[in-house]
Amino acid sequence: MSGEHHNTDDTGPAARVKALEALLTEKGLVDPAAIDAIVDIYETRVGPRNGARVVAKAWTDPGYRKRLLANATSAVAELGYAGPEGNHLVAVENTDRVHNLVVCTLCSCYPWPVLGLPPVWYKSFAYRSRAVSDPRGVLKDFGLELAPDVEVRVWDSSAEIRYLVIPQRPKGTEGMSEDALAGIVTRDSMVGVAKVEAPHA
Amino acid sequence: MNGVHDMGGMDGFGPVVREQNEPVFHADWEGRVYAIASIAAGLSLINADEFRHAIERIAPERYLASSYYERWLAAVETLLVERGVVTREEILAKEGGAIDPALIANPVATQCPAPVKDKPGSRPPRARFAKGARVRARNLNPSGHTRLPRYARGKAGVIARDWGVFVFPDTNAHHAGTKPQHCYSVAFDARELWGKSAKANCRERVHLDLWEDYLEPIAPKSKPKAAKRTTAHHTGRY
């Protein structure tokens, strides 16, 4: 049971949202054009490409990596990314010995300015329930098996801190530019459920 | 509240399934309710803590049967009705036949905590715990909102970071004061949380961000020599 059945018909939630929007518009509290604009921002501008640029810069610029680990909110703002759910960002770095995984067991808190809105799997009851009690099992659901000597650190986003995982830079990418590297960094790797793969030659 | 939303450590939901080429919103109404909630928050009609609590107040059977944005919709409706911004009758009048009246602003009631007075202009509170201090998450079970998950209650951990001072959600969600206080990253050993025989192994740790009111100190272990001398009035560790 995931709860995610994606009701798209005209009754149920669609009718309720339509009613609410019409009422709030009449009362002068919302402007349908403002709603269009917000939807457009999250559909086209705020998404994991932002986080990928942050990670690629951290991989190629040691000074930036240091600033990102010291204060992710300001380091992310250097690239122009800020907004709701991004006021207290923290970057955690994967290494040969430590693998970080981010979850929100109580709702679905997620670092919107760098990763966009969360995917269904992040919001699923399966992920929220097991990421803290069986993180290695959850990673196996994603096809990722960690060596037994790697420490897993799970970050349950129970307050206002939002986490961005800096995945490990894959071997064989030494010659790649920052832009090209940003192209291989995936959303899942920045939540900690995947590693970044080098592009096939 | 000890609601079904507090899912950490539950079994039975099956494997995590990843959707390929997932859209940001799966239907137009999802994006629109997301935007309406954002605008309502921007107008200070809704605060984030009461919004989370409004989702928690959805009856458990409905919570489990709803998608993420259906829960957002229920929370927005509930809060706008409770704040008097709109009425149930107005919502139903708009789309009458298409809407099930039982779904509109009909949440589980919870108890508001004792109100605390905000002291404007007062200095930020000092931190009670330092990095490295051993702490225990209190066994709190408030009827209202809390961000202390059940799986951590009563468990011992170590202060990893002090994030600074934040508004306390347990009171703020009920408009019972902001009670600003330090919030810490607390590291819990997986075996402390799930037991030694659980799937968790010794190389796993869960970090939770916990407010000071959720935590109590654990007395440091006495050195063997000192312990001998102080046995008589040793109050014991809890």
Side-chain angles (χ1 to χ4, degrees):
Chain A
M1 181 161 53
S2 74
E4 292 298 325
H5 40 78
H6 303 305
N7 203 326
T8 53
D9 63 19
D10 285 335
T11 62
R16 285 158 65 194
V17 174
K18 200 173 156 196
L20 196 59
E21 181 180 335
L23 259 180
L24 294 172
T25 304
E26 273 175 24
K27 290 173 188 285
L29 291 167
V30 309
D31 173 1
I35 293 178
D36 293 342
I38 291 171
V39 170
D40 181 66
I41 285 170
Y42 283 94
E43 283 188 329
T44 62
R45 277 194 275 156
V46 179
R49 299 277 40 96
N50 297 2
R53 280 198 54 209
V54 171
V55 168
K57 191 167 177 64
W59 282 349
T60 52
D61 178 345
Y64 185 76
R65 174 183 164 273
K66 213 173 161 186
R67 294 198 296 284
L68 182 64
L69 289 169
N71 184 337
T73 312
S74 64
V76 161
E78 285 179 39
L79 301 189
Y81 309 134
E85 297 293 303
N87 293 328
H88 307 281
L89 293 174
V90 166
V92 289
E93 189 177 40
N94 286 349
T95 66
D96 288 339
R97 304 178 66 137
V98 175
H99 184 90
N100 295 283
L101 179 68
V102 181
V103 65
C104 172
T105 60
L106 294 172
C107 42
S108 297
C109 295
Y110 195 71
W112 296 349
V114 280
L115 296 186
L117 297 175
V120 164
W121 65 256
Y122 184 86
K123 301 178 285 193
S124 71
F125 304 151
Y127 186 73
R128 286 169 55 191
S129 59
R130 278 172 55 228
V132 285
S133 55
D134 182 21
R136 284 174 201 268
V138 164
L139 293 177
K140 276 184 201 162
D141 289 350
F142 285 87
L144 177 59
E145 201 147 346
L146 297 176
D149 63 336
V150 173
E151 180 191 328
V152 178
R153 276 184 209 159
V154 182
W155 301 85
D156 188 352
S157 315
S158 49
E160 297 303 324
I161 318 301
R162 299 292 169 263
Y163 295 94
L164 176 72
V165 175
I166 308 175
Q168 282 186 286
R169 180 172 175 172
K171 289 192 173 68
T173 60
E174 291 74 15
M176 288 174 71
S177 69
E178 190 181 318
D179 276 355
L181 287 168
I184 63 167
V185 178
T186 61
R187 173 194 67 205
D188 290 5
S189 73
M190 293 182 279
V191 185
V193 295
K195 293 194 174 201
V196 177
E197 306 288 339
H200 297 294
Chain B
M1 67 184 289
N2 290 336
V4 73
H5 68 282
D6 186 357
M7 291 184 166
M10 283 177 75
D11 290 318
F13 289 118
V16 183
V17 179
R18 196 179 178 286
E19 183 180 329
Q20 297 297 323
N21 303 316
E22 183 180 338
V24 173
F25 300 112
H26 289 76
D28 284 349
W29 70 263
E30 292 192 349
R32 300 198 86 71
V33 78
Y34 172 82
I36 289 170
S38 304
I39 291 168
L43 293 170
S44 299
L45 296 172
I46 291 176
N47 80 46
D49 295 314
E50 69 181 338
F51 184 71
R52 291 186 189 122
H53 190 48
I55 290 175
E56 294 158 9
R57 288 192 285 139
I58 298 169
E61 66 277 15
R62 252 187 78 202
Y63 184 106
L64 292 171
S66 300
S67 70
Y68 179 74
Y69 289 112
E70 283 175 338
R71 297 194 291 273
W72 274 53
L73 172 58
V76 172
E77 285 171 345
T78 295
L79 292 171
L80 292 180
V81 168
E82 287 178 353
R83 297 276 161 272
V85 176
V86 297
T87 65
R88 299 178 83 241
E89 293 67 34
E90 283 176 318
I91 296 174
L92 292 171
K94 278 284 168 207
E95 287 290 321
I99 297 178
D100 175 359
L103 294 179
I104 307 295
N106 199 14
V108 172
T110 61
Q111 205 180 328
C112 177
V116 287
K117 274 201 180 131
D118 288 333
K119 297 175 199 157
S122 62
R123 290 171 63 178
R126 286 168 66 175
R128 183 177 181 194
F129 303 110
K131 186 178 170 179
R134 295 189 70 228
V135 291
R136 189 177 300 281
R138 294 176 190 269
N139 183 14
L140 303 171
N141 293 272
S143 159
H145 183 57
T146 187
R147 294 293 286 181
L148 173 59
R150 264 176 287 192
Y151 75 85
R153 296 177 195 168
K155 303 295 165 62
V158 175
I159 301 281
R161 289 273 290 274
D162 178 354
W163 297 126
V165 175
F166 287 81
V167 164
F168 190 48
D170 299 36
T171 47
N172 193 48
H174 299 272
H175 294 249
T178 56
K179 211 180 181 186
Q181 56 189 270
H182 283 258
C183 181
Y184 305 87
S185 173
V186 184
F188 294 89
D189 190 291
R191 289 181 304 179
E192 167 73 4
L193 296 174
W194 312 110
K196 287 191 171 114
S197 59
K199 287 175 197 138
N201 73 24
C202 58
R203 294 197 177 275
E204 286 168 17
R205 223 168 273 165
V206 177
H207 284 246
L208 275 149
D209 296 323
L210 300 177
W211 274 264
E212 201 160 273
D213 275 11
Y214 299 158
L215 302 171
E216 58 194 7
I218 295 179
K221 277 182 191 164
S222 316
K223 287 175 192 161
K225 251 188 180 175
K228 231 179 194 175
R229 281 207 306 271
T230 57
T231 311
H233 19 240
H234 196 279
T235 51
R237 290 169 54 229
Y238 29 94

